[in-house]
Amino acid sequence: MSSNYRPISLLSLFNRLFEKVMYNGLKSYVELNGLLYNGQYGFRENMSTQHAILDIVNSLQSNMDNKLFTCGVFLDFKKAFDTVDHSLLLSKLYHHGVRGLVNEWFSSYLNGRA
């Protein structure tokens, strides 16, 4: 097992349910407030890598039709979440309205998870 993954089987049923409730609440909040960029495909419902590829192909075809030069840079952000600065993440959540007990819970949840 990779050291990057927290073994979910060690969590109690209550903790797993609470995580799911928090996930669903934050997901709804982010969607209702339009906090995600439309080109964000990863980890979103009804948005897949196929959608991303279709958008790229459509842009390329449109640019070719308009005789525009197009260049693409493709990066693989493997393990990107593992490198997120937790204090910056909490600050961003606070900036976007996730405050009080909920922000404190996220802080506690992320504490000790390097």
Side-chain angles (χ1 to χ4, degrees):
M1 177 192 281
S2 173
S3 63
N4 294 322
Y5 297 101
R6 177 174 43 91
I8 195 162
S9 61
L10 296 180
L11 293 176
S12 71
L13 177 61
F14 174 78
N15 286 339
R16 283 185 275 169
L17 289 172
F18 191 69
E19 278 187 4
K20 188 71 170 173
V21 167
M22 292 299 286
Y23 166 79
N24 288 334
L26 183 61
K27 180 178 154 202
S28 294
Y29 179 82
V30 166
E31 289 174 356
L32 287 172
N33 291 286
L35 299 178
L36 291 179
Y37 169 64
N38 287 336
Q40 168 70 41
Y41 294 95
F43 307 104
R44 291 181 73 185
E45 210 169 292
N46 301 320
M47 302 285 274
S48 69
T49 53
Q50 292 172 340
H51 290 102
I53 292 169
L54 286 173
D55 277 356
I56 291 169
V57 168
N58 286 335
S59 292
L60 289 171
Q61 288 175 336
S62 176
N63 288 346
M64 286 171 59
D65 291 344
N66 293 314
K67 297 182 180 8
L68 297 173
F69 178 75
T70 304
C71 179
V73 176
F74 302 91
L75 304 171
D76 180 6
F77 291 109
K78 195 176 210 178
K79 300 182 183 179
F81 184 76
D82 295 337
T83 62
V84 171
D85 181 322
H86 293 165
S87 62
L88 181 60
L89 176 60
L90 292 167
S91 174
K92 293 282 186 181
L93 287 171
Y94 184 87
H95 173 76
H96 289 291
V98 179
R99 300 188 175 123
L101 288 174
V102 175
N103 195 286
E104 290 174 27
W105 182 84
F106 278 110
S107 177
S108 172
Y109 183 85
L110 294 170
N111 188 29
R113 299 179 198 273

